[in-house]
Amino acid sequence: MTAVIETAADAAAGGAEPLRPVGRAAVVLRRFVSNRGALAGGAILLLLFLLAFAGPLISDWDYSHIDYTSLREGPGARHWWGTNRIGQDVFAQTVRGLQKSLLIGLLVAFFSTVLASLVGACAGYFGGWPDRILMFGVDLLLVFPAFLIIAIISPRLRGGGWFAFVGLLAVFGWMITARVVRSMTLSLKEREFVRAARYMGVGPFRVIWRHILPNVASFLIIDATIAVGGAVMSETALSYFGFGVQAPDVSLGTLIASTTGAAVTYPWMFFFPAGLLIVFVLAVNLVGDGLRDALDPTSGRGRSTARTAVQSEETDR
């Protein structure tokens, strides 16, 4: 309905013949593009990804190389962002840390969103004892102090590398989302199209896959976007205290932890990784807000856009 209204309003404003209703994807894209904050956040994220994965290719230094002739050297032509206390190139170390943190954030958000959507949809759709068992597990994980458990378990999983750390973060990052998906599923399973599919003999898992999850996809997309920033912050905090990425590898958390004491005397060692972390989190929040407004026409900017379109249509009449 919103797509029809917006298309009619645009046609009336331009003095052209009314156009056919556009699809939901086109309307969502139009709303997202019209949000300057979301566009700015998306552009910043793209630049950060380019820096993380193309940066090592344009640098003359590897993150593990040591230049013994340049200890704590400031930014210059040879070392663009300076060197640290043992002569490692700060630019190479920072882009490597950014790359690792982004990978961890994306993987944690993906796994936690998939787990939350499956558990929440199954609990809400089946009800009864499956719902009670699944929600008991969710409540149990919510009670556990996640930070403390990860701090205890992560040293025992160092042999598994950083991917085991991703699994730990994902296990403790999906419960709230699962509860929201369950609530949405309880409402959706009483809708006519879901009831019609059940009466036609469609299997429960097929109904969940084809009818429930697509209708909660908007929420899941927004939640996954925010979860990336949350996962990066969690990784940074745990790595800061020595429970995350382990040497000789680096992440933004390990770089910030190792250079905190030099933030005043050698600021380039601290402010480059800390600055990239702040910029990344802000960009993710901007994109998340833009997706929320674009996918949900009843929120913030989306609501004002719809209201403007309705007023334009009434004026045209």
PDB file of all heavy atoms in Angstrom, residues 127-158:
ATOM      1  N   GLY A 127       5.045 -24.212  19.597  1.00  0.00           N
ATOM      2  CA  GLY A 127       4.419 -24.043  20.902  1.00  0.00           C
ATOM      3  C   GLY A 127       4.601 -25.287  21.766  1.00  0.00           C
ATOM      4  O   GLY A 127       5.444 -26.149  21.497  1.00  0.00           O
ATOM      5  N   GLY A 128       3.824 -25.387  22.823  1.00  0.00           N
ATOM      6  CA  GLY A 128       3.851 -26.570  23.675  1.00  0.00           C
ATOM      7  C   GLY A 128       5.207 -26.836  24.288  1.00  0.00           C
ATOM      8  O   GLY A 128       5.950 -25.908  24.656  1.00  0.00           O
ATOM      9  N   TRP A 129       5.535 -28.119  24.384  1.00  0.00           N
ATOM     10  CA  TRP A 129       6.800 -28.478  25.045  1.00  0.00           C
ATOM     11  C   TRP A 129       8.035 -28.051  24.262  1.00  0.00           C
ATOM     12  O   TRP A 129       9.057 -27.711  24.872  1.00  0.00           O
ATOM     13  CB  TRP A 129       6.829 -29.979  25.360  1.00  0.00           C
ATOM     14  CG  TRP A 129       6.817 -30.883  24.155  1.00  0.00           C
ATOM     15  CD1 TRP A 129       5.736 -31.487  23.599  1.00  0.00           C
ATOM     16  CD2 TRP A 129       7.949 -31.301  23.395  1.00  0.00           C
ATOM     17  NE1 TRP A 129       6.100 -32.237  22.514  1.00  0.00           N
ATOM     18  CE2 TRP A 129       7.465 -32.151  22.373  1.00  0.00           C
ATOM     19  CE3 TRP A 129       9.314 -31.052  23.465  1.00  0.00           C
ATOM     20  CZ2 TRP A 129       8.297 -32.740  21.431  1.00  0.00           C
ATOM     21  CZ3 TRP A 129      10.154 -31.639  22.526  1.00  0.00           C
ATOM     22  CH2 TRP A 129       9.636 -32.472  21.526  1.00  0.00           C
ATOM     23  N   PRO A 130       8.023 -28.038  22.894  1.00  0.00           N
ATOM     24  CA  PRO A 130       9.213 -27.489  22.221  1.00  0.00           C
ATOM     25  C   PRO A 130       9.465 -26.028  22.595  1.00  0.00           C
ATOM     26  O   PRO A 130      10.612 -25.623  22.802  1.00  0.00           O
ATOM     27  CB  PRO A 130       8.870 -27.637  20.731  1.00  0.00           C
ATOM     28  CG  PRO A 130       7.861 -28.727  20.665  1.00  0.00           C
ATOM     29  CD  PRO A 130       7.055 -28.577  21.905  1.00  0.00           C
ATOM     30  N   ASP A 131       8.386 -25.259  22.706  1.00  0.00           N
ATOM     31  CA  ASP A 131       8.520 -23.851  23.097  1.00  0.00           C
ATOM     32  C   ASP A 131       9.077 -23.738  24.508  1.00  0.00           C
ATOM     33  O   ASP A 131       9.987 -22.931  24.769  1.00  0.00           O
ATOM     34  CB  ASP A 131       7.155 -23.175  22.997  1.00  0.00           C
ATOM     35  CG  ASP A 131       7.216 -21.693  23.340  1.00  0.00           C
ATOM     36  OD1 ASP A 131       8.299 -21.098  23.199  1.00  0.00           O
ATOM     37  OD2 ASP A 131       6.188 -21.145  23.761  1.00  0.00           O
ATOM     38  N   ARG A 132       8.566 -24.551  25.425  1.00  0.00           N
ATOM     39  CA  ARG A 132       9.031 -24.474  26.814  1.00  0.00           C
ATOM     40  C   ARG A 132      10.498 -24.867  26.930  1.00  0.00           C
ATOM     41  O   ARG A 132      11.271 -24.237  27.665  1.00  0.00           O
ATOM     42  CB  ARG A 132       8.157 -25.366  27.697  1.00  0.00           C
ATOM     43  CG  ARG A 132       6.738 -24.833  27.896  1.00  0.00           C
ATOM     44  CD  ARG A 132       6.023 -25.576  28.997  1.00  0.00           C
ATOM     45  NE  ARG A 132       5.743 -26.955  28.620  1.00  0.00           N
ATOM     46  CZ  ARG A 132       4.643 -27.365  27.993  1.00  0.00           C
ATOM     47  NH1 ARG A 132       3.703 -26.468  27.655  1.00  0.00           N
ATOM     48  NH2 ARG A 132       4.455 -28.626  27.698  1.00  0.00           N
ATOM     49  N   ILE A 133      10.892 -25.918  26.221  1.00  0.00           N
ATOM     50  CA  ILE A 133      12.289 -26.370  26.296  1.00  0.00           C
ATOM     51  C   ILE A 133      13.225 -25.322  25.699  1.00  0.00           C
ATOM     52  O   ILE A 133      14.267 -24.974  26.292  1.00  0.00           O
ATOM     53  CB  ILE A 133      12.450 -27.723  25.580  1.00  0.00           C
ATOM     54  CG1 ILE A 133      11.735 -28.825  26.360  1.00  0.00           C
ATOM     55  CG2 ILE A 133      13.936 -28.070  25.436  1.00  0.00           C
ATOM     56  CD1 ILE A 133      11.757 -30.172  25.671  1.00  0.00           C
ATOM     57  N   LEU A 134      12.880 -24.814  24.515  1.00  0.00           N
ATOM     58  CA  LEU A 134      13.750 -23.838  23.853  1.00  0.00           C
ATOM     59  C   LEU A 134      13.841 -22.541  24.658  1.00  0.00           C
ATOM     60  O   LEU A 134      14.932 -21.974  24.817  1.00  0.00           O
ATOM     61  CB  LEU A 134      13.224 -23.542  22.450  1.00  0.00           C
ATOM     62  CG  LEU A 134      13.356 -24.685  21.432  1.00  0.00           C
ATOM     63  CD1 LEU A 134      12.657 -24.336  20.126  1.00  0.00           C
ATOM     64  CD2 LEU A 134      14.817 -25.012  21.169  1.00  0.00           C
ATOM     65  N   MET A 135      12.735 -22.067  25.175  1.00  0.00           N
ATOM     66  CA  MET A 135      12.762 -20.834  25.950  1.00  0.00           C
ATOM     67  C   MET A 135      13.449 -21.022  27.303  1.00  0.00           C
ATOM     68  O   MET A 135      14.044 -20.084  27.833  1.00  0.00           O
ATOM     69  CB  MET A 135      11.342 -20.305  26.154  1.00  0.00           C
ATOM     70  CG  MET A 135      10.727 -19.715  24.903  1.00  0.00           C
ATOM     71  SD  MET A 135      11.690 -18.319  24.205  1.00  0.00           S
ATOM     72  CE  MET A 135      12.554 -19.148  22.844  1.00  0.00           C
ATOM     73  N   PHE A 136      13.377 -22.243  27.853  1.00  0.00           N
ATOM     74  CA  PHE A 136      14.134 -22.511  29.077  1.00  0.00           C
ATOM     75  C   PHE A 136      15.635 -22.395  28.803  1.00  0.00           C
ATOM     76  O   PHE A 136      16.386 -21.819  29.606  1.00  0.00           O
ATOM     77  CB  PHE A 136      13.801 -23.902  29.617  1.00  0.00           C
ATOM     78  CG  PHE A 136      14.636 -24.303  30.806  1.00  0.00           C
ATOM     79  CD1 PHE A 136      14.353 -23.792  32.066  1.00  0.00           C
ATOM     80  CD2 PHE A 136      15.712 -25.173  30.665  1.00  0.00           C
ATOM     81  CE1 PHE A 136      15.126 -24.150  33.164  1.00  0.00           C
ATOM     82  CE2 PHE A 136      16.486 -25.533  31.747  1.00  0.00           C
ATOM     83  CZ  PHE A 136      16.192 -25.020  33.012  1.00  0.00           C
ATOM     84  N   GLY A 137      16.074 -22.932  27.660  1.00  0.00           N
ATOM     85  CA  GLY A 137      17.482 -22.791  27.287  1.00  0.00           C
ATOM     86  C   GLY A 137      17.874 -21.345  27.072  1.00  0.00           C
ATOM     87  O   GLY A 137      18.962 -20.918  27.477  1.00  0.00           O
ATOM     88  N   VAL A 138      16.980 -20.566  26.439  1.00  0.00           N
ATOM     89  CA  VAL A 138      17.260 -19.149  26.217  1.00  0.00           C
ATOM     90  C   VAL A 138      17.373 -18.414  27.552  1.00  0.00           C
ATOM     91  O   VAL A 138      18.313 -17.639  27.777  1.00  0.00           O
ATOM     92  CB  VAL A 138      16.147 -18.517  25.351  1.00  0.00           C
ATOM     93  CG1 VAL A 138      16.261 -16.995  25.352  1.00  0.00           C
ATOM     94  CG2 VAL A 138      16.229 -19.042  23.924  1.00  0.00           C
ATOM     95  N   ASP A 139      16.430 -18.662  28.451  1.00  0.00           N
ATOM     96  CA  ASP A 139      16.464 -17.998  29.761  1.00  0.00           C
ATOM     97  C   ASP A 139      17.705 -18.408  30.550  1.00  0.00           C
ATOM     98  O   ASP A 139      18.286 -17.585  31.276  1.00  0.00           O
ATOM     99  CB  ASP A 139      15.210 -18.344  30.559  1.00  0.00           C
ATOM    100  CG  ASP A 139      13.953 -17.761  29.927  1.00  0.00           C
ATOM    101  OD1 ASP A 139      14.075 -16.775  29.180  1.00  0.00           O
ATOM    102  OD2 ASP A 139      12.854 -18.302  30.181  1.00  0.00           O
ATOM    103  N   LEU A 140      18.104 -19.657  30.427  1.00  0.00           N
ATOM    104  CA  LEU A 140      19.292 -20.127  31.138  1.00  0.00           C
ATOM    105  C   LEU A 140      20.540 -19.404  30.652  1.00  0.00           C
ATOM    106  O   LEU A 140      21.387 -18.968  31.454  1.00  0.00           O
ATOM    107  CB  LEU A 140      19.445 -21.639  30.946  1.00  0.00           C
ATOM    108  CG  LEU A 140      20.394 -22.372  31.897  1.00  0.00           C
ATOM    109  CD1 LEU A 140      19.915 -22.257  33.340  1.00  0.00           C
ATOM    110  CD2 LEU A 140      20.508 -23.841  31.487  1.00  0.00           C
ATOM    111  N   LEU A 141      20.663 -19.244  29.333  1.00  0.00           N
ATOM    112  CA  LEU A 141      21.823 -18.543  28.794  1.00  0.00           C
ATOM    113  C   LEU A 141      21.797 -17.059  29.145  1.00  0.00           C
ATOM    114  O   LEU A 141      22.853 -16.437  29.306  1.00  0.00           O
ATOM    115  CB  LEU A 141      21.877 -18.718  27.276  1.00  0.00           C
ATOM    116  CG  LEU A 141      22.291 -20.103  26.776  1.00  0.00           C
ATOM    117  CD1 LEU A 141      22.162 -20.183  25.257  1.00  0.00           C
ATOM    118  CD2 LEU A 141      23.725 -20.423  27.190  1.00  0.00           C
ATOM    119  N   LEU A 142      20.599 -16.492  29.273  1.00  0.00           N
ATOM    120  CA  LEU A 142      20.502 -15.087  29.659  1.00  0.00           C
ATOM    121  C   LEU A 142      20.948 -14.854  31.093  1.00  0.00           C
ATOM    122  O   LEU A 142      21.458 -13.782  31.436  1.00  0.00           O
ATOM    123  CB  LEU A 142      19.062 -14.594  29.478  1.00  0.00           C
ATOM    124  CG  LEU A 142      18.615 -14.313  28.041  1.00  0.00           C
ATOM    125  CD1 LEU A 142      17.126 -14.011  27.996  1.00  0.00           C
ATOM    126  CD2 LEU A 142      19.403 -13.154  27.450  1.00  0.00           C
ATOM    127  N   VAL A 143      20.753 -15.864  31.943  1.00  0.00           N
ATOM    128  CA  VAL A 143      21.144 -15.734  33.349  1.00  0.00           C
ATOM    129  C   VAL A 143      22.654 -15.827  33.508  1.00  0.00           C
ATOM    130  O   VAL A 143      23.252 -15.151  34.350  1.00  0.00           O
ATOM    131  CB  VAL A 143      20.435 -16.812  34.197  1.00  0.00           C
ATOM    132  CG1 VAL A 143      20.991 -16.835  35.617  1.00  0.00           C
ATOM    133  CG2 VAL A 143      18.934 -16.568  34.227  1.00  0.00           C
ATOM    134  N   PHE A 144      23.309 -16.642  32.671  1.00  0.00           N
ATOM    135  CA  PHE A 144      24.751 -16.828  32.800  1.00  0.00           C
ATOM    136  C   PHE A 144      25.495 -15.527  32.504  1.00  0.00           C
ATOM    137  O   PHE A 144      25.136 -14.802  31.562  1.00  0.00           O
ATOM    138  CB  PHE A 144      25.247 -17.904  31.832  1.00  0.00           C
ATOM    139  CG  PHE A 144      24.874 -19.301  32.229  1.00  0.00           C
ATOM    140  CD1 PHE A 144      24.826 -20.310  31.282  1.00  0.00           C
ATOM    141  CD2 PHE A 144      24.574 -19.611  33.538  1.00  0.00           C
ATOM    142  CE1 PHE A 144      24.494 -21.605  31.644  1.00  0.00           C
ATOM    143  CE2 PHE A 144      24.232 -20.894  33.910  1.00  0.00           C
ATOM    144  CZ  PHE A 144      24.189 -21.896  32.962  1.00  0.00           C
ATOM    145  N   PRO A 145      26.535 -15.221  33.265  1.00  0.00           N
ATOM    146  CA  PRO A 145      27.378 -14.048  32.956  1.00  0.00           C
ATOM    147  C   PRO A 145      28.276 -14.345  31.760  1.00  0.00           C
ATOM    148  O   PRO A 145      29.302 -15.023  31.897  1.00  0.00           O
ATOM    149  CB  PRO A 145      28.182 -13.837  34.247  1.00  0.00           C
ATOM    150  CG  PRO A 145      28.226 -15.193  34.890  1.00  0.00           C
ATOM    151  CD  PRO A 145      26.955 -15.896  34.514  1.00  0.00           C
ATOM    152  N   ALA A 146      27.888 -13.872  30.598  1.00  0.00           N
ATOM    153  CA  ALA A 146      28.566 -14.240  29.357  1.00  0.00           C
ATOM    154  C   ALA A 146      30.044 -13.858  29.377  1.00  0.00           C
ATOM    155  O   ALA A 146      30.912 -14.649  28.988  1.00  0.00           O
ATOM    156  CB  ALA A 146      27.855 -13.588  28.172  1.00  0.00           C
ATOM    157  N   PHE A 147      30.338 -12.633  29.829  1.00  0.00           N
ATOM    158  CA  PHE A 147      31.728 -12.169  29.811  1.00  0.00           C
ATOM    159  C   PHE A 147      32.609 -13.079  30.657  1.00  0.00           C
ATOM    160  O   PHE A 147      33.716 -13.458  30.250  1.00  0.00           O
ATOM    161  CB  PHE A 147      31.801 -10.735  30.326  1.00  0.00           C
ATOM    162  CG  PHE A 147      33.148 -10.095  30.170  1.00  0.00           C
ATOM    163  CD1 PHE A 147      33.454  -9.365  29.044  1.00  0.00           C
ATOM    164  CD2 PHE A 147      34.121 -10.227  31.169  1.00  0.00           C
ATOM    165  CE1 PHE A 147      34.702  -8.774  28.895  1.00  0.00           C
ATOM    166  CE2 PHE A 147      35.365  -9.652  31.026  1.00  0.00           C
ATOM    167  CZ  PHE A 147      35.661  -8.921  29.886  1.00  0.00           C
ATOM    168  N   LEU A 148      32.120 -13.459  31.845  1.00  0.00           N
ATOM    169  CA  LEU A 148      32.907 -14.302  32.735  1.00  0.00           C
ATOM    170  C   LEU A 148      33.112 -15.693  32.146  1.00  0.00           C
ATOM    171  O   LEU A 148      34.218 -16.253  32.210  1.00  0.00           O
ATOM    172  CB  LEU A 148      32.211 -14.402  34.097  1.00  0.00           C
ATOM    173  CG  LEU A 148      32.913 -15.244  35.171  1.00  0.00           C
ATOM    174  CD1 LEU A 148      34.292 -14.662  35.463  1.00  0.00           C
ATOM    175  CD2 LEU A 148      32.063 -15.302  36.433  1.00  0.00           C
ATOM    176  N   ILE A 149      32.067 -16.257  31.557  1.00  0.00           N
ATOM    177  CA  ILE A 149      32.184 -17.600  30.981  1.00  0.00           C
ATOM    178  C   ILE A 149      33.154 -17.598  29.802  1.00  0.00           C
ATOM    179  O   ILE A 149      33.997 -18.500  29.671  1.00  0.00           O
ATOM    180  CB  ILE A 149      30.799 -18.107  30.549  1.00  0.00           C
ATOM    181  CG1 ILE A 149      29.921 -18.315  31.787  1.00  0.00           C
ATOM    182  CG2 ILE A 149      30.914 -19.398  29.768  1.00  0.00           C
ATOM    183  CD1 ILE A 149      28.505 -18.713  31.463  1.00  0.00           C
ATOM    184  N   ILE A 150      33.047 -16.585  28.930  1.00  0.00           N
ATOM    185  CA  ILE A 150      33.970 -16.503  27.791  1.00  0.00           C
ATOM    186  C   ILE A 150      35.401 -16.326  28.282  1.00  0.00           C
ATOM    187  O   ILE A 150      36.342 -16.924  27.735  1.00  0.00           O
ATOM    188  CB  ILE A 150      33.559 -15.354  26.863  1.00  0.00           C
ATOM    189  CG1 ILE A 150      32.206 -15.662  26.211  1.00  0.00           C
ATOM    190  CG2 ILE A 150      34.616 -15.125  25.786  1.00  0.00           C
ATOM    191  CD1 ILE A 150      31.662 -14.534  25.376  1.00  0.00           C
ATOM    192  N   ALA A 151      35.588 -15.514  29.322  1.00  0.00           N
ATOM    193  CA  ALA A 151      36.937 -15.301  29.871  1.00  0.00           C
ATOM    194  C   ALA A 151      37.514 -16.597  30.425  1.00  0.00           C
ATOM    195  O   ALA A 151      38.729 -16.835  30.355  1.00  0.00           O
ATOM    196  CB  ALA A 151      36.881 -14.230  30.955  1.00  0.00           C
ATOM    197  N   ILE A 152      36.662 -17.473  30.981  1.00  0.00           N
ATOM    198  CA  ILE A 152      37.148 -18.731  31.540  1.00  0.00           C
ATOM    199  C   ILE A 152      37.425 -19.762  30.448  1.00  0.00           C
ATOM    200  O   ILE A 152      38.428 -20.488  30.490  1.00  0.00           O
ATOM    201  CB  ILE A 152      36.121 -19.286  32.552  1.00  0.00           C
ATOM    202  CG1 ILE A 152      36.021 -18.351  33.764  1.00  0.00           C
ATOM    203  CG2 ILE A 152      36.501 -20.697  32.992  1.00  0.00           C
ATOM    204  CD1 ILE A 152      34.919 -18.736  34.734  1.00  0.00           C
ATOM    205  N   ILE A 153      36.538 -19.804  29.440  1.00  0.00           N
ATOM    206  CA  ILE A 153      36.642 -20.851  28.420  1.00  0.00           C
ATOM    207  C   ILE A 153      37.647 -20.515  27.333  1.00  0.00           C
ATOM    208  O   ILE A 153      38.355 -21.405  26.838  1.00  0.00           O
ATOM    209  CB  ILE A 153      35.249 -21.113  27.790  1.00  0.00           C
ATOM    210  CG1 ILE A 153      34.290 -21.636  28.852  1.00  0.00           C
ATOM    211  CG2 ILE A 153      35.357 -22.108  26.639  1.00  0.00           C
ATOM    212  CD1 ILE A 153      32.893 -21.868  28.342  1.00  0.00           C
ATOM    213  N   SER A 154      37.737 -19.242  26.944  1.00  0.00           N
ATOM    214  CA  SER A 154      38.563 -18.878  25.792  1.00  0.00           C
ATOM    215  C   SER A 154      40.032 -19.304  25.907  1.00  0.00           C
ATOM    216  O   SER A 154      40.611 -19.745  24.910  1.00  0.00           O
ATOM    217  CB  SER A 154      38.465 -17.370  25.529  1.00  0.00           C
ATOM    218  OG  SER A 154      38.900 -16.629  26.646  1.00  0.00           O
ATOM    219  N   PRO A 155      40.693 -19.217  27.099  1.00  0.00           N
ATOM    220  CA  PRO A 155      42.082 -19.696  27.154  1.00  0.00           C
ATOM    221  C   PRO A 155      42.220 -21.187  26.866  1.00  0.00           C
ATOM    222  O   PRO A 155      43.265 -21.633  26.389  1.00  0.00           O
ATOM    223  CB  PRO A 155      42.502 -19.375  28.600  1.00  0.00           C
ATOM    224  CG  PRO A 155      41.599 -18.266  29.025  1.00  0.00           C
ATOM    225  CD  PRO A 155      40.296 -18.563  28.361  1.00  0.00           C
ATOM    226  N   ARG A 156      41.157 -21.959  27.121  1.00  0.00           N
ATOM    227  CA  ARG A 156      41.217 -23.392  26.868  1.00  0.00           C
ATOM    228  C   ARG A 156      40.980 -23.733  25.402  1.00  0.00           C
ATOM    229  O   ARG A 156      41.158 -24.869  24.997  1.00  0.00           O
ATOM    230  CB  ARG A 156      40.179 -24.110  27.736  1.00  0.00           C
ATOM    231  CG  ARG A 156      40.301 -23.788  29.217  1.00  0.00           C
ATOM    232  CD  ARG A 156      39.199 -24.443  30.027  1.00  0.00           C
ATOM    233  NE  ARG A 156      39.201 -23.981  31.405  1.00  0.00           N
ATOM    234  CZ  ARG A 156      39.976 -24.495  32.370  1.00  0.00           C
ATOM    235  NH1 ARG A 156      40.789 -25.486  32.091  1.00  0.00           N
ATOM    236  NH2 ARG A 156      39.931 -24.009  33.599  1.00  0.00           N
ATOM    237  N   LEU A 157      40.556 -22.735  24.618  1.00  0.00           N
ATOM    238  CA  LEU A 157      40.262 -22.979  23.204  1.00  0.00           C
ATOM    239  C   LEU A 157      41.256 -22.288  22.287  1.00  0.00           C
ATOM    240  O   LEU A 157      40.982 -22.096  21.103  1.00  0.00           O
ATOM    241  CB  LEU A 157      38.844 -22.484  22.873  1.00  0.00           C
ATOM    242  CG  LEU A 157      37.699 -23.165  23.622  1.00  0.00           C
ATOM    243  CD1 LEU A 157      36.370 -22.529  23.213  1.00  0.00           C
ATOM    244  CD2 LEU A 157      37.661 -24.669  23.345  1.00  0.00           C
ATOM    245  N   ARG A 158      42.401 -21.915  22.815  1.00  0.00           N
ATOM    246  CA  ARG A 158      43.374 -21.204  21.990  1.00  0.00           C
ATOM    247  C   ARG A 158      43.889 -22.047  20.839  1.00  0.00           C
ATOM    248  O   ARG A 158      44.303 -21.530  19.814  1.00  0.00           O
ATOM    249  CB  ARG A 158      44.545 -20.736  22.865  1.00  0.00           C
ATOM    250  CG  ARG A 158      44.156 -19.593  23.798  1.00  0.00           C
ATOM    251  CD  ARG A 158      45.306 -19.141  24.676  1.00  0.00           C
ATOM    252  NE  ARG A 158      44.886 -18.045  25.542  1.00  0.00           N
ATOM    253  CZ  ARG A 158      45.657 -17.504  26.479  1.00  0.00           C
ATOM    254  NH1 ARG A 158      46.887 -17.963  26.678  1.00  0.00           N
ATOM    255  NH2 ARG A 158      45.192 -16.512  27.229  1.00  0.00           N
TER     256      ARG A 158
END
